[in-house]
Short mmCIF file of all heavy atoms in Angstrom, two decimals:
data_model
loop_
_atom_site.label_atom_id
_atom_site.label_comp_id
_atom_site.label_asym_id
_atom_site.label_seq_id
_atom_site.Cartn_x
_atom_site.Cartn_y
_atom_site.Cartn_z
N ILE M 290 161.93 160.09 77.63
CA ILE M 290 162.06 161.25 76.74
C ILE M 290 163.20 160.93 75.78
O ILE M 290 164.38 161.00 76.16
CB ILE M 290 162.37 162.53 77.56
CG1 ILE M 290 161.28 162.76 78.61
CG2 ILE M 290 162.54 163.72 76.62
CD1 ILE M 290 161.63 163.76 79.67
N PRO M 291 162.89 160.56 74.54
CA PRO M 291 163.95 160.10 73.63
C PRO M 291 164.83 161.19 73.03
O PRO M 291 165.95 160.93 72.67
CB PRO M 291 163.19 159.39 72.49
CG PRO M 291 161.77 159.40 72.87
CD PRO M 291 161.57 160.31 74.02
N ASP M 292 164.33 162.43 72.90
CA ASP M 292 165.06 163.47 72.18
C ASP M 292 165.38 164.64 73.10
O ASP M 292 164.62 165.60 73.20
CB ASP M 292 164.23 163.96 70.99
CG ASP M 292 164.94 165.06 70.20
OD1 ASP M 292 166.19 165.16 70.29
OD2 ASP M 292 164.27 165.83 69.51
N ALA M 293 166.50 164.56 73.79
CA ALA M 293 166.95 165.66 74.64
C ALA M 293 168.25 166.20 74.08
O ALA M 293 169.07 165.47 73.50
CB ALA M 293 167.14 165.16 76.06
N PHE M 294 168.44 167.51 74.24
CA PHE M 294 169.66 168.17 73.74
C PHE M 294 169.77 169.51 74.44
O PHE M 294 168.94 170.39 74.24
CB PHE M 294 169.59 168.37 72.23
CG PHE M 294 170.85 168.94 71.64
CD1 PHE M 294 171.88 168.10 71.26
CD2 PHE M 294 170.98 170.30 71.46
CE1 PHE M 294 173.04 168.62 70.71
CE2 PHE M 294 172.14 170.82 70.90
CZ PHE M 294 173.17 169.99 70.52
N LEU M 295 170.78 169.66 75.24
CA LEU M 295 171.00 170.89 75.99
C LEU M 295 172.04 171.72 75.25
O LEU M 295 173.23 171.48 75.31
CB LEU M 295 171.49 170.56 77.41
CG LEU M 295 171.70 171.70 78.38
CD1 LEU M 295 170.42 172.52 78.54
CD2 LEU M 295 172.13 171.15 79.73
N GLY M 296 171.55 172.71 74.49
CA GLY M 296 172.44 173.55 73.69
C GLY M 296 173.18 174.56 74.55
O GLY M 296 172.66 175.04 75.56
N GLU M 307 166.50 173.25 78.79
CA GLU M 307 165.48 172.20 78.76
C GLU M 307 164.87 172.13 80.15
O GLU M 307 165.49 172.52 81.13
CB GLU M 307 166.11 170.83 78.49
CG GLU M 307 166.86 170.69 77.20
CD GLU M 307 167.54 169.34 77.16
OE1 GLU M 307 168.49 169.13 77.94
OE2 GLU M 307 167.13 168.52 76.35
N VAL M 309 162.26 169.31 82.49
CA VAL M 309 161.36 168.18 82.68
C VAL M 309 160.29 168.71 83.62
O VAL M 309 160.56 169.01 84.79
CB VAL M 309 162.09 166.96 83.26
CG1 VAL M 309 161.09 165.87 83.60
CG2 VAL M 309 163.13 166.45 82.28
N LEU M 325 170.40 159.28 82.29
CA LEU M 325 170.69 159.83 80.98
C LEU M 325 171.30 158.74 80.11
O LEU M 325 172.21 158.02 80.55
CB LEU M 325 171.68 160.99 81.11
CG LEU M 325 171.36 162.04 82.17
CD1 LEU M 325 172.41 163.13 82.17
CD2 LEU M 325 169.97 162.62 81.97
N LEU M 326 170.78 158.61 78.90
CA LEU M 326 171.26 157.59 77.95
C LEU M 326 171.84 158.29 76.72
O LEU M 326 171.21 159.21 76.20
CB LEU M 326 170.12 156.65 77.57
CG LEU M 326 169.53 155.92 78.78
CD1 LEU M 326 168.08 156.27 78.94
CD2 LEU M 326 169.75 154.45 78.65
N PHE M 327 173.01 157.82 76.28
CA PHE M 327 173.74 158.47 75.20
C PHE M 327 173.98 157.51 74.04
O PHE M 327 173.90 156.29 74.21
CB PHE M 327 175.10 158.97 75.70
CG PHE M 327 174.97 159.99 76.80
CD1 PHE M 327 174.97 159.59 78.14
CD2 PHE M 327 174.85 161.33 76.51
CE1 PHE M 327 174.85 160.52 79.16
CE2 PHE M 327 174.73 162.27 77.53
CZ PHE M 327 174.73 161.86 78.84
N LEU M 350 167.15 171.49 83.37
CA LEU M 350 168.27 170.56 83.18
C LEU M 350 169.61 171.27 83.05
O LEU M 350 170.64 170.62 83.19
CB LEU M 350 167.98 169.65 82.00
CG LEU M 350 166.72 168.80 82.18
CD1 LEU M 350 166.49 167.91 80.97
CD2 LEU M 350 166.77 167.99 83.45
N ILE M 361 174.76 168.04 83.32
CA ILE M 361 174.40 167.39 82.05
C ILE M 361 175.26 168.01 80.96
O ILE M 361 175.40 169.24 80.90
CB ILE M 361 172.90 167.56 81.78
CG1 ILE M 361 172.10 166.79 82.84
CG2 ILE M 361 172.55 167.12 80.37
CD1 ILE M 361 170.61 166.97 82.76
N PRO M 362 175.87 167.20 80.09
CA PRO M 362 176.75 167.77 79.06
C PRO M 362 175.98 168.60 78.02
O PRO M 362 174.88 168.24 77.63
CB PRO M 362 177.39 166.54 78.41
CG PRO M 362 176.47 165.42 78.72
CD PRO M 362 175.79 165.75 80.01
N ASP M 364 175.49 170.33 74.25
CA ASP M 364 175.72 170.04 72.82
C ASP M 364 175.89 168.55 72.54
O ASP M 364 176.65 168.16 71.65
CB ASP M 364 176.92 170.85 72.30
CG ASP M 364 176.73 172.33 72.49
OD1 ASP M 364 175.59 172.82 72.29
OD2 ASP M 364 177.69 173.02 72.85
N THR M 365 175.19 167.72 73.29
CA THR M 365 175.28 166.26 73.16
C THR M 365 173.88 165.67 73.15
O THR M 365 173.14 165.84 74.11
CB THR M 365 176.08 165.67 74.36
OG1 THR M 365 177.35 166.30 74.43
CG2 THR M 365 176.23 164.18 74.22
N PRO M 366 173.51 164.96 72.09
CA PRO M 366 172.19 164.31 72.10
C PRO M 366 172.13 163.24 73.18
O PRO M 366 173.10 162.49 73.39
CB PRO M 366 172.08 163.66 70.71
CG PRO M 366 173.18 164.25 69.89
CD PRO M 366 174.23 164.72 70.85
N TYR M 367 170.98 163.15 73.84
CA TYR M 367 170.79 162.12 74.86
C TYR M 367 169.30 161.88 75.04
O TYR M 367 168.47 162.57 74.46
CB TYR M 367 171.47 162.50 76.17
CG TYR M 367 170.87 163.68 76.91
CD1 TYR M 367 170.08 163.50 78.02
CD2 TYR M 367 171.10 164.99 76.49
CE1 TYR M 367 169.52 164.58 78.72
CE2 TYR M 367 170.57 166.07 77.16
CZ TYR M 367 169.78 165.86 78.27
OH TYR M 367 169.24 166.92 78.94
N ALA M 368 168.98 160.88 75.83
CA ALA M 368 167.60 160.56 76.18
C ALA M 368 167.51 160.51 77.70
O ALA M 368 168.53 160.38 78.38
CB ALA M 368 167.18 159.23 75.57
N ILE M 369 166.28 160.60 78.21
CA ILE M 369 166.10 160.63 79.66
C ILE M 369 165.08 159.57 80.08
O ILE M 369 163.98 159.51 79.52
CB ILE M 369 165.60 162.01 80.13
CG1 ILE M 369 166.48 163.13 79.60
CG2 ILE M 369 165.53 162.05 81.66
CD1 ILE M 369 165.87 164.52 79.76
N TYR M 381 158.18 167.36 78.59
CA TYR M 381 159.54 167.86 78.29
C TYR M 381 159.42 169.10 77.46
O TYR M 381 158.63 169.17 76.52
CB TYR M 381 160.30 166.76 77.53
CG TYR M 381 161.59 167.24 76.92
CD1 TYR M 381 162.74 167.36 77.69
CD2 TYR M 381 161.67 167.57 75.58
CE1 TYR M 381 163.94 167.80 77.13
CE2 TYR M 381 162.85 168.00 75.01
CZ TYR M 381 163.98 168.12 75.79
OH TYR M 381 165.15 168.55 75.24
N SER M 382 160.24 170.11 77.78
CA SER M 382 160.26 171.34 76.99
C SER M 382 161.70 171.75 76.71
O SER M 382 162.58 171.56 77.56
CB SER M 382 159.57 172.48 77.75
OG SER M 382 158.22 172.20 77.95
N ARG M 383 161.92 172.34 75.53
CA ARG M 383 163.25 172.87 75.18
C ARG M 383 163.06 174.26 74.60
O ARG M 383 162.28 174.44 73.67
CB ARG M 383 163.92 171.98 74.12
CG ARG M 383 165.29 172.49 73.71
CD ARG M 383 165.88 171.70 72.54
NE ARG M 383 165.88 170.28 72.78
CZ ARG M 383 165.81 169.36 71.82
NH1 ARG M 383 165.73 169.70 70.56
NH2 ARG M 383 165.81 168.07 72.12
N MET M 394 160.02 173.89 71.90
CA MET M 394 159.50 172.57 71.62
C MET M 394 159.03 171.98 72.94
O MET M 394 159.71 172.10 73.96
CB MET M 394 160.58 171.65 71.03
CG MET M 394 160.07 170.24 70.79
SD MET M 394 161.36 169.04 70.44
CE MET M 394 161.85 168.60 72.09
#
Side-chain angles (χ1 to χ4, degrees):
I290 303 166
D292 179 22
F294 185 87
L295 184 56
E307 301 173 292
V309 173
L325 312 180
L326 300 119
F327 299 92
L350 299 181
I361 294 175
D364 302 321
T365 303
Y367 67 104
I369 308 167
Y381 168 81
S382 297
R383 179 187 309 152
M394 177 193 84

